[in-house]
Amino acid sequence: MSDFGLLGSSGAFKANLLELRKRRQDIIAANIANADTPGYKARRLSFEEELSKTLPRGDELPMRRSMAGHMPTPFELEDGEIQEVETAIPKGDMNSVDLEQEMSRQTANQLLYNYAVQSLSGQIKKLKMVIDGQ
Amino acid sequence: MIDTKSDFLTSFKVTASGLAAQRMRLNIIAENLANAQTTRTPEGGPYKRRDPVFMSRPFQDFLTREQAAGATGVAVDRINVDQRPPRLQYDPTHPDANADGYVAMPNIDTVTEMVNMMSASRSYEANVSVLNASKAMALKALEIGR
C-alpha cells in the first residue's frame, strides 16, 4: 500500500479506504446471512476513528515535503477492529442481528464506497489531463 | 488487528450460503405443510414436524486460502424432528383411529408454519438485496480510472 507512484499518499489512502469498506460489506453480508442462526452475535467493523487519526487535525499543520528527495508519507491505516455487539431488542434465540440496522448500514457503506471510487477516479482523471497536456 | 485482504467473492459466498440455508428452511416448511394431514409414514405413526437448525460456518478466502476474518456463512447443521406428541382428533370412521375413535394427527400447527414461511421468505429477500449491493460495489470498482 506504500508505493502508489503518481497517485501519492492520497491515492494510497483512498485505496485503503476502499479495501476497508469492502471488508465492511463482507461483515454485513455475514450478519444478514446469519440473521436466523441461534447464538450468532452481530459483528461490526470499526475503522473510522483510526482513520481520522491519520488525517491532519485542524490546529496542526499537515506534514509537507519540503524537498523532492524526501520520502513521501503514505497514510498507514490500521486494519480496523471487529467487535461483536448486542441488540437493543433481544431475540429469543440469543441472536443479536438487527436486520433493519444491517440493511441501513449496508446502504450507507455502499454510498460511501461509491464516493471513494469517484474521488479516486477524479484524481486519476486530473492526472491524465496533465499527462495529455489538454 | 485483522487482515483486510479479501476478494469480492467472499461476500458473494457468504450471501449464497444464506440463500441456500433459507431455501432449505422454506423446503422443510413446505414439507411440513404438505404433510399436515399425513397419518401414515414409512417409520410408522403420523408425520412429525421437522425444523432446520442453523449454524454459522467460517469461510476461506478464495485467493489467499486464509480464513476471512468475521465473514462467516451459514449452514444447516441438522434437521430437528419435533418429538412433541401427535394431536388427537376424534374420527371413528378413519382407518387409523384407535379403539376409542381417536386418530393421531401430525403435530403441525399451520399458523406457525405460515409465520415461519414468511420469515424465511423475508430473510431470503434480505440476502438477495445484499447480493445486489455487493455486485454493485464490485462493478463500481471496475470504474476506477475510467
Side-chain angles (χ1 to χ4, degrees):
Chain A
M1 201 57 90
S2 55
D3 188 21
F4 259 69
L6 286 170
L7 290 172
S9 57
S10 97
F13 177 84
K14 284 164 196 165
N16 207 344
L17 179 61
L18 283 173
E19 187 69 40
L20 286 163
R21 292 228 172 274
K22 190 180 66 60
R23 283 289 296 137
R24 180 172 280 174
Q25 172 69 11
D26 289 350
I27 305 283
I28 293 170
N31 285 344
I32 292 174
N34 283 290
D36 297 315
T37 309
Y40 179 88
K41 298 288 174 219
R43 289 162 188 166
R44 294 258 176 286
L45 175 67
S46 49
F47 55 80
E48 275 91 348
E49 206 172 311
E50 289 297 322
L51 194 73
S52 68
K53 279 182 199 159
T54 67
L55 291 168
R57 291 204 202 111
D59 54 346
E60 287 171 21
L61 283 172
M63 280 204 284
R64 287 174 77 176
R65 274 199 290 169
S66 52
M67 284 175 74
H70 287 171
M71 289 286 285
T73 52
F75 290 94
E76 289 293 345
L77 294 190
E78 289 291 317
D79 276 340
E81 216 180 300
I82 295 177
Q83 281 168 332
E84 292 187 344
V85 292
E86 276 301 329
T87 174
I89 311 151
K91 291 192 262 186
D93 55 358
M94 304 294 284
N95 182 305
S96 75
V97 178
D98 185 339
L99 211 54
E100 289 77 13
Q101 272 245 13
E102 298 299 331
M103 296 308 275
S104 51
R105 272 170 185 277
Q106 176 186 241
T107 309
N109 189 48
Q110 196 185 353
L111 281 172
L112 290 165
Y113 183 90
N114 289 354
Y115 170 70
V117 166
Q118 272 178 16
S119 165
L120 190 56
S121 287
Q123 202 187 333
I124 294 168
K125 211 175 274 175
K126 278 177 209 151
L127 210 58
K128 267 185 188 161
M129 211 164 77
V130 172
I131 293 166
D132 293 345
Q134 288 165 353
Chain B
M1 183 86 76
I2 51 151
D3 181 24
T4 55
K5 301 285 180 297
S6 77
D7 52 75
F8 258 104
L9 294 167
T10 308
S11 77
F12 286 144
K13 275 198 291 185
V14 167
T15 305
S17 79
L19 287 169
Q22 296 298 343
R23 174 163 294 281
M24 178 79 167
R25 185 174 163 212
L26 215 52
N27 285 344
I28 290 164
I29 293 164
E31 192 185 317
N32 285 342
L33 282 170
N35 284 293
Q37 307 291 326
T38 306
T39 53
R40 293 174 188 183
T41 52
E43 59 267 25
Y47 175 86
K48 286 192 175 85
R49 179 176 178 265
R50 279 152 176 75
D51 199 20
V53 179
F54 288 176
M55 188 183 70
S56 61
R57 189 180 63 179
F59 267 114
Q60 279 190 335
D61 189 75
F62 185 71
L63 291 177
T64 59
R65 298 276 166 215
E66 282 167 16
Q67 194 182 307
T72 51
V74 63
V76 175
D77 186 28
R78 64 195 171 89
I79 293 162
N80 198 30
V81 178
D82 198 332
Q83 294 299 339
R84 279 181 298 182
R87 192 162 42 88
L88 290 176
Q89 193 178 319
Y90 186 69
D91 187 1
T93 59
H94 198 285
D96 292 325
N98 64 10
D100 298 328
Y102 282 96
V103 187
M105 298 297 278
N107 52 358
I108 288 165
D109 175 18
T110 322
V111 178
T112 309
E113 298 302 322
M114 293 304 279
V115 170
N116 276 337
M117 187 178 82
M118 280 164 70
S119 162
S121 128
R122 290 288 170 271
S123 297
Y124 190 89
E125 280 170 24
N127 277 295
V128 169
S129 85
V130 173
L131 190 68
N132 284 332
S134 300
K135 194 176 107 184
M137 280 169 77
L139 288 172
K140 190 77 189 169
L142 295 177
E143 287 175 21
I144 295 174
R146 247 191 223 166

Short mmCIF file of all heavy atoms in Angstrom, two decimals, chain A residues 30-70:
data_model
loop_
_atom_site.label_atom_id
_atom_site.label_comp_id
_atom_site.label_asym_id
_atom_site.label_seq_id
_atom_site.Cartn_x
_atom_site.Cartn_y
_atom_site.Cartn_z
N ALA A 30 -22.29 -11.29 6.14
CA ALA A 30 -22.25 -12.40 7.11
C ALA A 30 -23.33 -12.24 8.17
O ALA A 30 -24.01 -13.20 8.53
CB ALA A 30 -20.88 -12.49 7.76
N ASN A 31 -23.53 -11.00 8.65
CA ASN A 31 -24.56 -10.75 9.66
C ASN A 31 -25.95 -11.07 9.12
O ASN A 31 -26.76 -11.69 9.82
CB ASN A 31 -24.53 -9.28 10.10
CG ASN A 31 -23.36 -8.99 11.01
OD1 ASN A 31 -22.74 -9.90 11.57
ND2 ASN A 31 -23.04 -7.72 11.17
N ILE A 32 -26.22 -10.66 7.88
CA ILE A 32 -27.55 -10.88 7.32
C ILE A 32 -27.76 -12.37 7.00
O ILE A 32 -28.83 -12.91 7.23
CB ILE A 32 -27.79 -9.97 6.10
CG1 ILE A 32 -27.89 -8.51 6.58
CG2 ILE A 32 -29.07 -10.36 5.34
CD1 ILE A 32 -27.99 -7.47 5.52
N ALA A 33 -26.70 -13.03 6.52
CA ALA A 33 -26.80 -14.48 6.26
C ALA A 33 -27.09 -15.24 7.54
O ALA A 33 -27.77 -16.26 7.54
CB ALA A 33 -25.52 -14.99 5.62
N ASN A 34 -26.59 -14.71 8.67
CA ASN A 34 -26.76 -15.40 9.96
C ASN A 34 -27.88 -14.80 10.80
O ASN A 34 -27.89 -14.96 12.02
CB ASN A 34 -25.45 -15.37 10.74
CG ASN A 34 -24.46 -16.38 10.21
OD1 ASN A 34 -24.65 -17.58 10.38
ND2 ASN A 34 -23.43 -15.91 9.54
N ALA A 35 -28.83 -14.10 10.15
CA ALA A 35 -29.90 -13.43 10.89
C ALA A 35 -30.78 -14.42 11.65
O ALA A 35 -31.44 -14.04 12.62
CB ALA A 35 -30.75 -12.59 9.94
N ASP A 36 -30.79 -15.70 11.23
CA ASP A 36 -31.63 -16.71 11.90
C ASP A 36 -30.80 -17.80 12.57
O ASP A 36 -31.33 -18.86 12.88
CB ASP A 36 -32.60 -17.33 10.89
CG ASP A 36 -33.56 -16.30 10.32
OD1 ASP A 36 -34.10 -15.50 11.10
OD2 ASP A 36 -33.76 -16.29 9.09
N THR A 37 -29.49 -17.56 12.74
CA THR A 37 -28.64 -18.57 13.36
C THR A 37 -28.65 -18.39 14.87
O THR A 37 -28.26 -17.34 15.36
CB THR A 37 -27.19 -18.44 12.84
OG1 THR A 37 -27.21 -18.42 11.42
CG2 THR A 37 -26.33 -19.58 13.32
N PRO A 38 -29.10 -19.41 15.62
CA PRO A 38 -29.15 -19.25 17.08
C PRO A 38 -27.76 -18.98 17.65
O PRO A 38 -26.78 -19.61 17.26
CB PRO A 38 -29.67 -20.60 17.57
CG PRO A 38 -30.26 -21.25 16.38
CD PRO A 38 -29.56 -20.72 15.18
N GLY A 39 -27.68 -18.02 18.57
CA GLY A 39 -26.43 -17.73 19.27
C GLY A 39 -25.46 -16.85 18.50
O GLY A 39 -24.43 -16.46 19.04
N TYR A 40 -25.78 -16.52 17.24
CA TYR A 40 -24.85 -15.69 16.46
C TYR A 40 -24.91 -14.25 16.94
O TYR A 40 -25.99 -13.71 17.16
CB TYR A 40 -25.20 -15.77 14.97
CG TYR A 40 -24.31 -14.93 14.08
CD1 TYR A 40 -23.13 -15.44 13.57
CD2 TYR A 40 -24.66 -13.62 13.76
CE1 TYR A 40 -22.32 -14.68 12.76
CE2 TYR A 40 -23.84 -12.84 12.95
CZ TYR A 40 -22.67 -13.38 12.45
OH TYR A 40 -21.88 -12.61 11.65
N LYS A 41 -23.74 -13.64 17.11
CA LYS A 41 -23.69 -12.23 17.54
C LYS A 41 -23.31 -11.36 16.34
O LYS A 41 -22.34 -11.68 15.63
CB LYS A 41 -22.65 -12.04 18.65
CG LYS A 41 -22.97 -12.84 19.91
CD LYS A 41 -24.14 -12.27 20.68
CE LYS A 41 -24.53 -13.16 21.84
NZ LYS A 41 -25.96 -13.28 22.04
N ALA A 42 -24.05 -10.28 16.14
CA ALA A 42 -23.78 -9.36 15.03
C ALA A 42 -22.38 -8.77 15.19
O ALA A 42 -21.95 -8.49 16.30
CB ALA A 42 -24.82 -8.26 15.01
N ARG A 43 -21.70 -8.61 14.06
CA ARG A 43 -20.33 -8.06 14.11
C ARG A 43 -20.28 -6.70 13.46
O ARG A 43 -21.03 -6.41 12.55
CB ARG A 43 -19.38 -9.02 13.38
CG ARG A 43 -19.16 -10.27 14.17
CD ARG A 43 -18.61 -11.37 13.33
NE ARG A 43 -18.61 -12.59 14.12
CZ ARG A 43 -18.45 -13.80 13.63
NH1 ARG A 43 -18.26 -13.96 12.34
NH2 ARG A 43 -18.47 -14.84 14.40
N ARG A 44 -19.36 -5.89 13.98
CA ARG A 44 -19.14 -4.55 13.42
C ARG A 44 -17.67 -4.39 13.14
O ARG A 44 -16.83 -4.73 13.98
CB ARG A 44 -19.53 -3.48 14.44
CG ARG A 44 -20.97 -3.43 14.77
CD ARG A 44 -21.67 -2.28 14.07
NE ARG A 44 -23.08 -2.35 14.37
CZ ARG A 44 -23.89 -3.24 13.83
NH1 ARG A 44 -23.45 -4.11 12.96
NH2 ARG A 44 -25.16 -3.25 14.16
N LEU A 45 -17.38 -3.84 11.96
CA LEU A 45 -16.01 -3.49 11.63
C LEU A 45 -15.87 -1.99 11.82
O LEU A 45 -16.53 -1.23 11.13
CB LEU A 45 -15.68 -3.90 10.20
CG LEU A 45 -14.31 -3.48 9.67
CD1 LEU A 45 -13.20 -4.22 10.40
CD2 LEU A 45 -14.21 -3.74 8.18
N SER A 46 -15.06 -1.58 12.80
CA SER A 46 -14.91 -0.14 13.01
C SER A 46 -13.51 0.29 12.60
O SER A 46 -12.52 -0.34 12.95
CB SER A 46 -15.18 0.22 14.46
OG SER A 46 -14.47 -0.64 15.30
N PHE A 47 -13.45 1.35 11.82
CA PHE A 47 -12.15 1.87 11.40
C PHE A 47 -12.13 3.40 11.30
O PHE A 47 -11.08 3.99 11.17
CB PHE A 47 -11.73 1.27 10.05
CG PHE A 47 -12.74 1.44 8.95
CD1 PHE A 47 -12.83 2.64 8.26
CD2 PHE A 47 -13.58 0.41 8.59
CE1 PHE A 47 -13.74 2.81 7.25
CE2 PHE A 47 -14.50 0.57 7.57
CZ PHE A 47 -14.58 1.78 6.90
N GLU A 48 -13.30 4.04 11.41
CA GLU A 48 -13.37 5.49 11.22
C GLU A 48 -12.47 6.26 12.17
O GLU A 48 -11.81 7.21 11.77
CB GLU A 48 -14.81 6.00 11.36
CG GLU A 48 -15.63 5.90 10.09
CD GLU A 48 -16.37 4.60 9.97
OE1 GLU A 48 -16.06 3.68 10.77
OE2 GLU A 48 -17.24 4.48 9.09
N GLU A 49 -12.45 5.80 13.43
CA GLU A 49 -11.68 6.53 14.43
C GLU A 49 -10.19 6.45 14.13
O GLU A 49 -9.48 7.46 14.16
CB GLU A 49 -11.97 5.96 15.82
CG GLU A 49 -11.75 6.97 16.93
CD GLU A 49 -12.23 6.42 18.25
OE1 GLU A 49 -13.37 5.92 18.32
OE2 GLU A 49 -11.46 6.49 19.21
N GLU A 50 -9.73 5.22 13.81
CA GLU A 50 -8.34 5.03 13.45
C GLU A 50 -8.00 5.84 12.20
O GLU A 50 -6.92 6.41 12.07
CB GLU A 50 -8.06 3.54 13.19
CG GLU A 50 -8.08 2.69 14.44
CD GLU A 50 -6.99 3.09 15.42
OE1 GLU A 50 -5.89 3.43 14.96
OE2 GLU A 50 -7.26 3.08 16.63
N LEU A 51 -8.96 5.86 11.29
CA LEU A 51 -8.79 6.55 10.02
C LEU A 51 -8.60 8.05 10.24
O LEU A 51 -7.71 8.68 9.65
CB LEU A 51 -10.02 6.30 9.16
CG LEU A 51 -9.94 6.63 7.68
CD1 LEU A 51 -9.09 5.61 6.97
CD2 LEU A 51 -11.33 6.63 7.09
N SER A 52 -9.42 8.61 11.14
CA SER A 52 -9.36 10.06 11.35
C SER A 52 -8.04 10.46 12.01
O SER A 52 -7.57 11.58 11.85
CB SER A 52 -10.55 10.51 12.19
OG SER A 52 -10.43 10.01 13.49
N LYS A 53 -7.42 9.52 12.74
CA LYS A 53 -6.13 9.82 13.40
C LYS A 53 -5.02 10.03 12.37
O LYS A 53 -4.04 10.71 12.64
CB LYS A 53 -5.74 8.67 14.33
CG LYS A 53 -6.44 8.71 15.66
CD LYS A 53 -5.97 7.57 16.53
CE LYS A 53 -6.94 7.30 17.66
NZ LYS A 53 -6.78 5.93 18.18
N THR A 54 -5.19 9.40 11.19
CA THR A 54 -4.14 9.52 10.18
C THR A 54 -4.25 10.83 9.40
O THR A 54 -3.34 11.19 8.68
CB THR A 54 -4.20 8.35 9.18
OG1 THR A 54 -5.40 8.47 8.43
CG2 THR A 54 -4.15 7.01 9.89
N LEU A 55 -5.37 11.52 9.57
CA LEU A 55 -5.56 12.79 8.88
C LEU A 55 -5.06 13.94 9.76
O LEU A 55 -5.15 13.86 10.98
CB LEU A 55 -7.05 13.01 8.56
CG LEU A 55 -7.64 12.08 7.50
CD1 LEU A 55 -9.14 12.21 7.50
CD2 LEU A 55 -7.08 12.41 6.13
N PRO A 56 -4.56 15.03 9.16
CA PRO A 56 -4.11 16.17 9.96
C PRO A 56 -5.30 16.85 10.64
O PRO A 56 -6.37 16.98 10.07
CB PRO A 56 -3.47 17.10 8.93
CG PRO A 56 -4.03 16.69 7.63
CD PRO A 56 -4.34 15.23 7.73
N ARG A 57 -5.08 17.29 11.90
CA ARG A 57 -6.16 17.97 12.63
C ARG A 57 -6.20 19.44 12.24
O ARG A 57 -5.28 19.97 11.64
CB ARG A 57 -5.93 17.84 14.14
CG ARG A 57 -6.11 16.42 14.61
CD ARG A 57 -6.46 16.39 16.07
NE ARG A 57 -6.12 15.08 16.62
CZ ARG A 57 -5.14 14.90 17.48
NH1 ARG A 57 -4.42 15.90 17.91
NH2 ARG A 57 -4.87 13.70 17.94
N GLY A 58 -7.30 20.09 12.65
CA GLY A 58 -7.50 21.48 12.27
C GLY A 58 -6.42 22.43 12.79
O GLY A 58 -5.98 23.33 12.08
N ASP A 59 -5.93 22.20 14.04
CA ASP A 59 -4.98 23.13 14.64
C ASP A 59 -3.52 22.76 14.33
O ASP A 59 -2.60 23.46 14.74
CB ASP A 59 -5.20 23.22 16.15
CG ASP A 59 -5.17 21.85 16.80
OD1 ASP A 59 -5.24 20.85 16.06
OD2 ASP A 59 -5.08 21.80 18.03
N GLU A 60 -3.35 21.67 13.62
CA GLU A 60 -1.98 21.27 13.29
C GLU A 60 -1.78 21.46 11.79
O GLU A 60 -2.69 21.25 11.00
CB GLU A 60 -1.75 19.79 13.61
CG GLU A 60 -1.66 19.51 15.10
CD GLU A 60 -1.64 18.01 15.35
OE1 GLU A 60 -1.30 17.25 14.42
OE2 GLU A 60 -1.99 17.62 16.47
N LEU A 61 -0.57 21.81 11.45
CA LEU A 61 -0.28 21.92 10.02
C LEU A 61 -0.04 20.51 9.46
O LEU A 61 0.61 19.70 10.10
CB LEU A 61 0.98 22.78 9.81
CG LEU A 61 0.78 24.28 9.96
CD1 LEU A 61 2.13 24.98 9.92
CD2 LEU A 61 -0.11 24.80 8.83
N PRO A 62 -0.57 20.25 8.30
CA PRO A 62 -0.29 18.94 7.72
C PRO A 62 1.19 18.81 7.36
O PRO A 62 1.85 19.80 7.08
CB PRO A 62 -1.17 18.92 6.48
CG PRO A 62 -1.44 20.33 6.15
CD PRO A 62 -1.41 21.08 7.44
N MET A 63 1.69 17.59 7.40
CA MET A 63 3.08 17.37 7.04
C MET A 63 3.27 17.65 5.56
O MET A 63 2.42 17.30 4.73
CB MET A 63 3.47 15.93 7.35
CG MET A 63 3.79 15.71 8.80
SD MET A 63 4.86 14.29 8.98
CE MET A 63 3.70 12.97 8.75
N ARG A 64 4.39 18.31 5.25
CA ARG A 64 4.66 18.58 3.84
C ARG A 64 6.07 18.15 3.48
O ARG A 64 6.96 18.15 4.34
CB ARG A 64 4.50 20.08 3.56
CG ARG A 64 3.06 20.50 3.57
CD ARG A 64 2.94 21.98 3.45
NE ARG A 64 3.16 22.41 2.07
CZ ARG A 64 3.04 23.67 1.69
NH1 ARG A 64 2.75 24.59 2.57
NH2 ARG A 64 3.23 24.01 0.44
N ARG A 65 6.26 17.84 2.24
CA ARG A 65 7.61 17.53 1.78
C ARG A 65 8.25 18.83 1.32
O ARG A 65 7.77 19.47 0.39
CB ARG A 65 7.55 16.53 0.61
CG ARG A 65 7.49 15.10 1.08
CD ARG A 65 7.89 14.17 -0.02
NE ARG A 65 6.88 14.12 -1.08
CZ ARG A 65 7.08 13.55 -2.24
NH1 ARG A 65 8.25 13.00 -2.53
NH2 ARG A 65 6.13 13.53 -3.14
N SER A 66 9.31 19.21 2.00
CA SER A 66 9.96 20.47 1.63
C SER A 66 10.97 20.25 0.50
O SER A 66 11.31 21.16 -0.24
CB SER A 66 10.67 21.08 2.84
OG SER A 66 11.52 20.10 3.42
N MET A 67 11.44 19.02 0.37
CA MET A 67 12.38 18.73 -0.71
C MET A 67 11.90 17.49 -1.47
O MET A 67 11.37 16.56 -0.88
CB MET A 67 13.78 18.46 -0.15
CG MET A 67 14.50 19.73 0.26
SD MET A 67 16.06 19.35 1.05
CE MET A 67 17.04 18.85 -0.35
N ALA A 68 12.09 17.52 -2.77
CA ALA A 68 11.60 16.42 -3.60
C ALA A 68 12.25 15.09 -3.23
O ALA A 68 11.67 14.03 -3.42
CB ALA A 68 11.86 16.73 -5.06
N GLY A 69 13.47 15.18 -2.67
CA GLY A 69 14.19 13.95 -2.35
C GLY A 69 13.69 13.26 -1.09
O GLY A 69 14.01 12.10 -0.83
N HIS A 70 12.87 13.98 -0.31
CA HIS A 70 12.35 13.37 0.92
C HIS A 70 11.38 12.25 0.62
O HIS A 70 10.72 12.24 -0.41
CB HIS A 70 11.66 14.42 1.79
CG HIS A 70 12.64 15.35 2.46
ND1 HIS A 70 12.22 16.46 3.12
CD2 HIS A 70 13.98 15.31 2.56
CE1 HIS A 70 13.29 17.09 3.61
NE2 HIS A 70 14.36 16.41 3.27
#
